[in-house]
Amino acid sequence: MGGPAKVAVLASGLFGTISGSSVANVVTTGTFTIPLMKSIGYKAEFAGAVEAAASTGGQLMPPIMGAAAFVMSQFIGIAYIEIAIAAALPAILYYLAVGLMVHFEAKRLGLQGIPKDRLPDIKKVFADGWHLLLPLFVIVYLLVKGYTPLRAALVCIIVTVVIAMMRKNTRLNFKDIFEALENGARSAIGVSAACACAGIIIGVVTLTGVGLKIANGIVVLSGGSFFFTLVLTMIASIILGMGLPTTAKYIVLASMAAPAIMKFGVPIMAAHLFIFYFGIVADLTPPVALAAYAGAGIAGGDPVKTGFNGLKLALAGFMIPYIFVYNPGLLLIDTTLPEILLMVVTSLIGAFALALAGSGYWMRTLNFIERVVFLGAAITLIFPGLLTDSIGIAIMAVMWFLQKQSMKKKTL
C-alpha cells in the first residue's frame, strides 16, 4: 500500500547518502516521487513531507552520509568507517519509522499502489543501468580499506567515468565531461565558501575561548542537569542549523555546542552525532524548514503544514540522539555481540511502535491515549536495557491483544 511514498523513502535515502544536502535531495528525487504520491491520493502536504523527511535523513545514513561526516572524521580524529558503522543502527531505525508511518497512513486512507501496467519493466531498467551502481561499491570498498576520503573520492570519479563509457546509453562525450567538471566546480564553491567562513568562526572561537564559555553557559543555565543540558544543546543546534549548509553547521556546532555535552563524560562520537542529528533535522523544523519548503513547492502544498507533517514523520530523529547519548551501546560503543543482536531486535520493534504513535493507525484508528502509550513503548524499546525492553514488549503485547479484541467486536 502507498507504493510511491515507500519508493520516495528508499530513493531519497539512497540519494541522500551522496548528495550532502537535504534541499538538493528533495528537488532531485522529489520531482519524480511527489507527483507519483499525489497521483494515488496522498495530500500535497503529506507528499511533500514524506520527501522532505526522507531526504533529510539521507545525510544520517551510511555508507556515505554526505560531506559533513567526512569533516567529523577529521574533527574528532576517528576513522570515517568507524563513524559510519556507529551511525548505521540509528539511521536504520529512523528510516524504518518513516517507512512504517507512510505505510500506516496509506492503510488508514485505503490508498493502493500504482497499477502494474503503469510500472516500468524492472528487468529492462536494471539491464540498462546496473553498471552505474558499481562506483558506489567502489567508494565503500576504498573507505573500508582505509583510504582517505579525498583519495577514495578521486578514484571513484575516475571509475565512474570509465564505467559510464562501457555502455552506449551512458557514454560521455567531451562536452558532457566538461559540463560535469563545470557543475562540480560550481557546487564546490558553496561548500568551500561555507568551510572558509566556518574556519574563521572556529579560529575566533578557539582563540577567544568563547566556545568554552558558551558550553559553560549552557551547563550553568541548565542548573547542572544533564537532561536540560541536552535540551538546550538541541535547541542551539536547531537554531544554528536552520540557516547554514550541513557542512558549515556541523563545524560551527562542533566548536560551540558539543563541548557542553562532553562535560558530562559522554563519548566524543556520541556527543558529535547528537549535534550532527539536530543540525540536520533543523531542515525539517518550522519556521524555516528549508527541506519542507522545497517539498511544498514541488507538491503545491502549504509550506507550514508540510513542515509540521515532516516533523511528525521525522519524530525518530528527535528521539534517537537522546537515547544513544544516554546509552552509547546504540552506537555499538563498548558492547558485546549478544547485546547488539538483542538491541537490534528490540529497537526494530521500538521503531514499529513509534510509527504507530506517529501515524495514529494500526488495525484501526488509535485514540490520543493509545498513541501516547505506543510512544512510551517506543521509548522503552529503543532505549537499550533488559528492564526497559521487557516493559516495552509487555506494553506492545497488551496493546496487540486490545486491538485484536476491538476488531473482533467491530466485526460482530
Side-chain angles (χ1 to χ4, degrees):
M1 302 184 79
K6 294 173 185 175
V7 170
V9 173
L10 180 61
S12 299
L14 292 173
F15 185 77
T17 62
I18 57 176
S19 72
S21 167
S22 305
V23 177
N25 195 358
V26 171
V27 298
T28 303
T29 59
T31 306
F32 305 98
T33 59
I34 290 175
L36 283 174
M37 283 187 274
K38 290 178 66 179
S39 72
I40 67 165
Y42 281 109
K43 291 183 179 179
E45 288 80 10
F46 190 82
V50 170
E51 182 59 46
S55 296
T56 300
Q59 296 169 82
L60 307 172
M61 175 62 79
I64 311 298
M65 299 176 65
F70 293 98
V71 177
M72 184 190 299
S73 172
Q74 299 294 320
F75 203 99
I76 65 179
I78 295 177
Y80 169 78
I81 193 64
E82 292 183 31
I83 295 174
I85 292 171
L89 182 55
I92 290 170
L93 293 178
Y94 175 86
Y95 269 100
L96 183 64
V98 174
L100 286 170
M101 284 189 199
V102 165
H103 171 75
F104 286 115
E105 180 71 12
K107 194 174 177 182
R108 184 177 69 83
L109 297 173
L111 303 179
Q112 300 298 321
I114 296 175
K116 193 172 182 180
D117 57 351
R118 289 178 54 194
L119 295 174
D121 185 352
I122 189 170
K123 292 181 181 178
K124 185 177 183 302
V125 172
F126 189 75
D128 289 340
W130 67 269
H131 60 296
L132 298 177
L133 293 173
L134 295 177
L136 292 177
F137 291 107
V138 169
I139 195 169
V140 172
Y141 172 78
L142 293 175
L143 291 170
V144 170
K145 292 294 289 183
Y147 281 66
T148 64
L150 286 175
R151 177 170 290 186
L154 176 61
V155 173
C156 192
I157 290 171
I158 296 170
V159 169
T160 302
V161 174
V162 172
I163 288 174
M165 295 296 186
M166 292 168 54
R167 304 290 294 271
K168 185 178 180 180
N169 61 326
T170 57
R171 194 165 295 152
L172 302 172
N173 55 37
F174 284 108
K175 183 182 177 182
D176 294 330
I177 292 173
F178 280 116
E179 285 183 356
L181 291 171
E182 180 186 355
N183 291 334
R186 288 180 184 273
S187 300
I189 289 172
V191 177
S192 301
C195 289
C197 294
I200 295 172
I201 294 171
I202 290 173
V204 172
V205 167
T206 304
L207 293 173
T208 61
V210 70
L212 291 175
K213 290 179 181 177
I214 290 175
N216 289 331
I218 290 175
V219 175
V220 171
L221 194 61
S222 68
S225 166
F226 182 42
F227 176 76
F228 286 113
T229 298
L230 292 178
V231 172
L232 291 173
T233 304
M234 174 192 74
I235 294 170
S237 299
I238 290 175
I239 292 173
L240 287 170
M242 283 181 180
L244 290 172
T246 303
T247 305
K249 73 177 72 167
Y250 167 71
I251 295 172
V252 174
L253 291 169
S255 304
M256 303 176 73
I261 307 174
M262 292 168 62
K263 282 181 172 291
F264 290 89
V266 174
I268 187 169
M269 188 187 296
H272 280 255
L273 280 174
F274 183 89
I275 55 107
F276 183 65
Y277 259 73
F278 285 113
I280 287 174
V281 297
D283 289 339
L284 274 174
T285 308
V288 180
L290 295 176
Y293 271 73
I298 298 171
D302 181 83
V304 177
K305 289 181 180 178
T306 302
F308 281 108
N309 273 312
L311 207 61
K312 181 182 74 172
L313 289 168
L315 188 61
F318 290 85
M319 288 175 49
I320 291 170
Y322 282 91
I323 294 166
F324 64 59
V325 164
Y326 273 101
N327 193 326
L330 195 65
L331 300 176
L332 311 184
I333 297 175
D334 297 329
T335 187
T336 61
L337 182 58
E339 290 173 338
I340 292 171
L341 294 175
L342 178 62
M343 199 183 308
V344 167
V345 173
T346 55
S347 296
L348 292 177
I349 300 173
F352 177 76
L354 182 62
L356 298 177
S359 64
Y361 190 89
W362 190 4
M363 301 175 196
R364 56 168 174 76
T365 301
L366 305 175
N367 59 41
F368 177 76
I369 295 175
E370 288 173 324
R371 295 176 74 169
V372 172
V373 170
F374 277 120
L375 180 62
I379 294 172
T380 56
L381 282 163
I382 297 175
F383 196 102
L386 186 59
L387 177 61
T388 54
D389 290 343
S390 301
I391 293 172
I393 290 172
I395 293 173
M396 290 297 290
V398 171
M399 293 304 292
W400 174 83
F401 176 76
L402 293 176
Q403 288 269 306
K404 278 286 189 183
Q405 292 299 111
S406 176
M407 292 303 293
K408 284 181 180 179
K409 289 180 181 178
K410 186 176 179 181
T411 303
L412 291 173

